[in-house]
PDB file of all heavy atoms in Angstrom:
ATOM      1  N   ASN A   1      10.485   0.459  -3.074  1.00 93.00           N
ATOM      2  CA  ASN A   1      11.772   0.283  -2.312  1.00 93.00           C
ATOM      3  C   ASN A   1      11.672  -1.080  -1.670  1.00 93.00           C
ATOM      4  O   ASN A   1      10.948  -1.279  -0.677  1.00 93.00           O
ATOM      5  CB  ASN A   1      11.883   1.368  -1.229  1.00 93.00           C
ATOM      6  CG  ASN A   1      13.209   1.272  -0.501  1.00 93.00           C
ATOM      7  OD1 ASN A   1      13.861   0.211  -0.437  1.00 93.00           O
ATOM      8  ND2 ASN A   1      13.672   2.394   0.024  1.00 93.00           N
ATOM      9  N   PRO A   2      12.320  -2.051  -2.200  1.00 92.00           N
ATOM     10  CA  PRO A   2      12.311  -3.433  -1.601  1.00 92.00           C
ATOM     11  C   PRO A   2      12.961  -3.492  -0.301  1.00 92.00           C
ATOM     12  O   PRO A   2      12.679  -4.408   0.532  1.00 92.00           O
ATOM     13  CB  PRO A   2      12.982  -4.320  -2.684  1.00 92.00           C
ATOM     14  CG  PRO A   2      13.952  -3.313  -3.384  1.00 92.00           C
ATOM     15  CD  PRO A   2      13.177  -2.090  -3.454  1.00 92.00           C
ATOM     16  N   GLY A   3      13.871  -2.591  -0.012  1.00 90.00           N
ATOM     17  CA  GLY A   3      14.642  -2.688   1.244  1.00 90.00           C
ATOM     18  C   GLY A   3      13.724  -2.283   2.431  1.00 90.00           C
ATOM     19  O   GLY A   3      13.868  -2.813   3.570  1.00 90.00           O
ATOM     20  N   THR A   4      12.733  -1.431   2.152  1.00 91.00           N
ATOM     21  CA  THR A   4      11.735  -1.058   3.267  1.00 91.00           C
ATOM     22  C   THR A   4      10.337  -1.573   3.021  1.00 91.00           C
ATOM     23  O   THR A   4       9.494  -1.159   3.734  1.00 91.00           O
ATOM     24  CB  THR A   4      11.796   0.437   3.351  1.00 91.00           C
ATOM     25  OG1 THR A   4      11.338   1.080   2.180  1.00 91.00           O
ATOM     26  CG2 THR A   4      13.183   0.947   3.744  1.00 91.00           C
ATOM     27  N   ASN A   5      10.122  -2.341   1.955  1.00 94.00           N
ATOM     28  CA  ASN A   5       8.783  -2.761   1.592  1.00 94.00           C
ATOM     29  C   ASN A   5       7.860  -1.623   1.506  1.00 94.00           C
ATOM     30  O   ASN A   5       6.804  -1.551   2.200  1.00 94.00           O
ATOM     31  CB  ASN A   5       8.233  -3.841   2.612  1.00 94.00           C
ATOM     32  CG  ASN A   5       8.930  -5.180   2.313  1.00 94.00           C
ATOM     33  OD1 ASN A   5       9.213  -5.530   1.241  1.00 94.00           O
ATOM     34  ND2 ASN A   5       9.054  -5.932   3.441  1.00 94.00           N
ATOM     35  N   ALA A   6       8.210  -0.677   0.683  1.00 95.00           N
ATOM     36  CA  ALA A   6       7.389   0.583   0.584  1.00 95.00           C
ATOM     37  C   ALA A   6       7.265   0.988  -0.862  1.00 95.00           C
ATOM     38  O   ALA A   6       8.130   0.735  -1.734  1.00 95.00           O
ATOM     39  CB  ALA A   6       8.044   1.691   1.386  1.00 95.00           C
ATOM     40  N   ILE A   7       6.160   1.753  -1.108  1.00 97.00           N
ATOM     41  CA  ILE A   7       5.955   2.446  -2.421  1.00 97.00           C
ATOM     42  C   ILE A   7       6.024   3.860  -2.066  1.00 97.00           C
ATOM     43  O   ILE A   7       5.243   4.399  -1.197  1.00 97.00           O
ATOM     44  CB  ILE A   7       4.589   2.085  -3.048  1.00 97.00           C
ATOM     45  CG1 ILE A   7       4.478   0.554  -3.281  1.00 97.00           C
ATOM     46  CG2 ILE A   7       4.543   2.796  -4.421  1.00 97.00           C
ATOM     47  CD1 ILE A   7       5.561  -0.076  -4.021  1.00 97.00           C
ATOM     48  N   LEU A   8       6.857   4.685  -2.733  1.00 97.00           N
ATOM     49  CA  LEU A   8       7.039   6.027  -2.526  1.00 97.00           C
ATOM     50  C   LEU A   8       6.551   6.950  -3.660  1.00 97.00           C
ATOM     51  O   LEU A   8       6.820   6.531  -4.845  1.00 97.00           O
ATOM     52  CB  LEU A   8       8.552   6.443  -2.266  1.00 97.00           C
ATOM     53  CG  LEU A   8       9.376   5.521  -1.297  1.00 97.00           C
ATOM     54  CD1 LEU A   8      10.818   5.924  -1.284  1.00 97.00           C
ATOM     55  CD2 LEU A   8       8.758   5.681   0.099  1.00 97.00           C
ATOM     56  N   GLY A   9       5.858   7.953  -3.363  1.00 98.00           N
ATOM     57  CA  GLY A   9       5.292   8.843  -4.403  1.00 98.00           C
ATOM     58  C   GLY A   9       5.857  10.257  -4.248  1.00 98.00           C
ATOM     59  O   GLY A   9       5.773  10.825  -3.131  1.00 98.00           O
ATOM     60  N   PHE A  10       6.413  10.784  -5.290  1.00 98.00           N
ATOM     61  CA  PHE A  10       7.011  12.129  -5.313  1.00 98.00           C
ATOM     62  C   PHE A  10       6.185  13.091  -6.143  1.00 98.00           C
ATOM     63  O   PHE A  10       5.701  12.703  -7.220  1.00 98.00           O
ATOM     64  CB  PHE A  10       8.486  12.064  -5.784  1.00 98.00           C
ATOM     65  CG  PHE A  10       9.414  11.296  -4.890  1.00 98.00           C
ATOM     66  CD1 PHE A  10       9.610   9.993  -5.106  1.00 98.00           C
ATOM     67  CD2 PHE A  10      10.068  11.989  -3.809  1.00 98.00           C
ATOM     68  CE1 PHE A  10      10.466   9.266  -4.262  1.00 98.00           C
ATOM     69  CE2 PHE A  10      10.859  11.252  -2.979  1.00 98.00           C
ATOM     70  CZ  PHE A  10      11.085   9.909  -3.189  1.00 98.00           C
ATOM     71  N   ALA A  11       6.131  14.292  -5.694  1.00 98.00           N
ATOM     72  CA  ALA A  11       5.424  15.339  -6.419  1.00 98.00           C
ATOM     73  C   ALA A  11       5.915  15.499  -7.812  1.00 98.00           C
ATOM     74  O   ALA A  11       7.089  15.261  -8.079  1.00 98.00           O
ATOM     75  CB  ALA A  11       5.417  16.691  -5.647  1.00 98.00           C
ATOM     76  N   PRO A  12       5.022  15.893  -8.737  1.00 97.00           N
ATOM     77  CA  PRO A  12       5.464  15.978 -10.105  1.00 97.00           C
ATOM     78  C   PRO A  12       6.688  16.870 -10.305  1.00 97.00           C
ATOM     79  O   PRO A  12       7.506  16.700 -11.220  1.00 97.00           O
ATOM     80  CB  PRO A  12       4.223  16.552 -10.825  1.00 97.00           C
ATOM     81  CG  PRO A  12       3.086  16.093  -9.970  1.00 97.00           C
ATOM     82  CD  PRO A  12       3.590  16.039  -8.605  1.00 97.00           C
ATOM     83  N   ALA A  13       6.782  17.984  -9.469  1.00 97.00           N
ATOM     84  CA  ALA A  13       7.936  18.867  -9.655  1.00 97.00           C
ATOM     85  C   ALA A  13       8.986  18.621  -8.688  1.00 97.00           C
ATOM     86  O   ALA A  13       9.914  19.497  -8.560  1.00 97.00           O
ATOM     87  CB  ALA A  13       7.371  20.354  -9.547  1.00 97.00           C
ATOM     88  N   ALA A  14       8.970  17.551  -7.926  1.00 98.00           N
ATOM     89  CA  ALA A  14      10.009  17.325  -6.947  1.00 98.00           C
ATOM     90  C   ALA A  14      11.415  17.286  -7.427  1.00 98.00           C
ATOM     91  O   ALA A  14      11.679  16.861  -8.568  1.00 98.00           O
ATOM     92  CB  ALA A  14       9.734  15.973  -6.232  1.00 98.00           C
ATOM     93  N   SER A  15      12.304  17.840  -6.693  1.00 98.00           N
ATOM     94  CA  SER A  15      13.705  17.841  -7.116  1.00 98.00           C
ATOM     95  C   SER A  15      14.576  17.976  -5.836  1.00 98.00           C
ATOM     96  O   SER A  15      14.259  18.554  -4.828  1.00 98.00           O
ATOM     97  CB  SER A  15      13.967  19.140  -7.954  1.00 98.00           C
ATOM     98  OG  SER A  15      15.269  19.159  -8.479  1.00 98.00           O
ATOM     99  N   GLY A  16      15.764  17.384  -5.952  1.00 98.00           N
ATOM    100  CA  GLY A  16      16.755  17.432  -4.837  1.00 98.00           C
ATOM    101  C   GLY A  16      16.386  16.413  -3.738  1.00 98.00           C
ATOM    102  O   GLY A  16      15.752  15.385  -3.930  1.00 98.00           O
ATOM    103  N   ASN A  17      16.806  16.819  -2.577  1.00 98.00           N
ATOM    104  CA  ASN A  17      16.651  16.047  -1.361  1.00 98.00           C
ATOM    105  C   ASN A  17      15.327  16.256  -0.726  1.00 98.00           C
ATOM    106  O   ASN A  17      15.160  17.113   0.225  1.00 98.00           O
ATOM    107  CB  ASN A  17      17.779  16.271  -0.403  1.00 98.00           C
ATOM    108  CG  ASN A  17      17.713  15.361   0.846  1.00 98.00           C
ATOM    109  OD1 ASN A  17      17.042  14.327   0.923  1.00 98.00           O
ATOM    110  ND2 ASN A  17      18.466  15.774   1.896  1.00 98.00           N
ATOM    111  N   VAL A  18      14.206  15.674  -1.231  1.00 98.00           N
ATOM    112  CA  VAL A  18      12.849  16.014  -0.795  1.00 98.00           C
ATOM    113  C   VAL A  18      12.210  14.727  -0.302  1.00 98.00           C
ATOM    114  O   VAL A  18      12.462  13.610  -0.879  1.00 98.00           O
ATOM    115  CB  VAL A  18      12.098  16.685  -1.921  1.00 98.00           C
ATOM    116  CG1 VAL A  18      12.636  18.068  -2.206  1.00 98.00           C
ATOM    117  CG2 VAL A  18      11.973  15.785  -3.147  1.00 98.00           C
ATOM    118  N   ALA A  19      11.277  14.879   0.631  1.00 98.00           N
ATOM    119  CA  ALA A  19      10.540  13.700   1.141  1.00 98.00           C
ATOM    120  C   ALA A  19       9.373  13.392   0.162  1.00 98.00           C
ATOM    121  O   ALA A  19       8.887  14.251  -0.562  1.00 98.00           O
ATOM    122  CB  ALA A  19       9.949  14.013   2.533  1.00 98.00           C
ATOM    123  N   PRO A  20       8.986  12.152   0.055  1.00 98.00           N
ATOM    124  CA  PRO A  20       7.837  11.795  -0.752  1.00 98.00           C
ATOM    125  C   PRO A  20       6.572  12.345  -0.191  1.00 98.00           C
ATOM    126  O   PRO A  20       6.427  12.649   1.030  1.00 98.00           O
ATOM    127  CB  PRO A  20       7.847  10.201  -0.679  1.00 98.00           C
ATOM    128  CG  PRO A  20       8.533   9.896   0.629  1.00 98.00           C
ATOM    129  CD  PRO A  20       9.596  10.880   0.726  1.00 98.00           C
ATOM    130  N   ILE A  21       5.612  12.599  -1.081  1.00 98.00           N
ATOM    131  CA  ILE A  21       4.269  13.152  -0.580  1.00 98.00           C
ATOM    132  C   ILE A  21       3.327  12.002  -0.283  1.00 98.00           C
ATOM    133  O   ILE A  21       2.235  12.212   0.169  1.00 98.00           O
ATOM    134  CB  ILE A  21       3.714  14.087  -1.645  1.00 98.00           C
ATOM    135  CG1 ILE A  21       3.534  13.333  -3.054  1.00 98.00           C
ATOM    136  CG2 ILE A  21       4.574  15.352  -1.814  1.00 98.00           C
ATOM    137  CD1 ILE A  21       2.777  14.190  -3.989  1.00 98.00           C
ATOM    138  N   GLN A  22       3.660  10.779  -0.669  1.00 97.00           N
ATOM    139  CA  GLN A  22       2.813   9.600  -0.518  1.00 97.00           C
ATOM    140  C   GLN A  22       3.687   8.449  -0.237  1.00 97.00           C
ATOM    141  O   GLN A  22       4.653   8.156  -0.920  1.00 97.00           O
ATOM    142  CB  GLN A  22       2.097   9.414  -1.819  1.00 97.00           C
ATOM    143  CG  GLN A  22       1.013   8.342  -1.907  1.00 97.00           C
ATOM    144  CD  GLN A  22       0.327   8.274  -3.253  1.00 97.00           C
ATOM    145  OE1 GLN A  22       0.370   9.286  -4.054  1.00 97.00           O
ATOM    146  NE2 GLN A  22      -0.303   7.240  -3.604  1.00 97.00           N
ATOM    147  N   THR A  23       3.345   7.606   0.767  1.00 98.00           N
ATOM    148  CA  THR A  23       4.091   6.338   1.089  1.00 98.00           C
ATOM    149  C   THR A  23       3.108   5.343   1.430  1.00 98.00           C
ATOM    150  O   THR A  23       2.244   5.453   2.331  1.00 98.00           O
ATOM    151  CB  THR A  23       4.990   6.635   2.272  1.00 98.00           C
ATOM    152  OG1 THR A  23       5.986   7.665   1.959  1.00 98.00           O
ATOM    153  CG2 THR A  23       5.805   5.367   2.630  1.00 98.00           C
ATOM    154  N   ILE A  24       3.227   4.189   0.719  1.00 98.00           N
ATOM    155  CA  ILE A  24       2.376   3.002   1.003  1.00 98.00           C
ATOM    156  C   ILE A  24       3.362   1.960   1.765  1.00 98.00           C
ATOM    157  O   ILE A  24       4.259   1.436   1.114  1.00 98.00           O
ATOM    158  CB  ILE A  24       1.792   2.348  -0.267  1.00 98.00           C
ATOM    159  CG1 ILE A  24       1.015   3.435  -0.989  1.00 98.00           C
ATOM    160  CG2 ILE A  24       0.966   1.129   0.043  1.00 98.00           C
ATOM    161  CD1 ILE A  24       0.567   2.878  -2.420  1.00 98.00           C
ATOM    162  N   THR A  25       3.123   1.734   2.955  1.00 97.00           N
ATOM    163  CA  THR A  25       3.998   0.773   3.656  1.00 97.00           C
ATOM    164  C   THR A  25       3.318   0.333   4.936  1.00 97.00           C
ATOM    165  O   THR A  25       2.365   0.949   5.438  1.00 97.00           O
ATOM    166  CB  THR A  25       5.337   1.435   4.099  1.00 97.00           C
ATOM    167  OG1 THR A  25       6.235   0.454   4.505  1.00 97.00           O
ATOM    168  CG2 THR A  25       5.171   2.545   5.122  1.00 97.00           C
ATOM    169  N   GLY A  26       3.644  -0.859   5.497  1.00 97.00           N
ATOM    170  CA  GLY A  26       3.075  -1.315   6.677  1.00 97.00           C
ATOM    171  C   GLY A  26       2.499  -2.702   6.497  1.00 97.00           C
ATOM    172  O   GLY A  26       2.404  -3.209   5.391  1.00 97.00           O
ATOM    173  N   SER A  27       2.161  -3.427   7.596  1.00 97.00           N
ATOM    174  CA  SER A  27       1.749  -4.741   7.540  1.00 97.00           C
ATOM    175  C   SER A  27       0.522  -5.049   6.683  1.00 97.00           C
ATOM    176  O   SER A  27       0.310  -6.061   6.063  1.00 97.00           O
ATOM    177  CB  SER A  27       1.499  -5.302   9.002  1.00 97.00           C
ATOM    178  OG  SER A  27       0.523  -4.559   9.695  1.00 97.00           O
ATOM    179  N   ALA A  28      -0.409  -4.067   6.637  1.00 98.00           N
ATOM    180  CA  ALA A  28      -1.682  -4.257   5.985  1.00 98.00           C
ATOM    181  C   ALA A  28      -1.446  -4.265   4.390  1.00 98.00           C
ATOM    182  O   ALA A  28      -2.233  -4.814   3.706  1.00 98.00           O
ATOM    183  CB  ALA A  28      -2.699  -3.134   6.263  1.00 98.00           C
TER     184      ALA A  28
END
């Protein structure tokens, strides 16, 4: 997601309006 400078990871079976299970983001 370039808008938030983030990498989002979704579960293999994710569907619909669900939160990612993994997020890489922050200054580091």
Side-chain angles (χ1 to χ4, degrees):
N1 186 336
T4 59
N5 284 328
I7 306 301
L8 310 175
F10 293 92
S15 184
N17 183 18
V18 294
I21 60 172
Q22 182 178 344
T23 301
I24 304 171
T25 191
S27 58

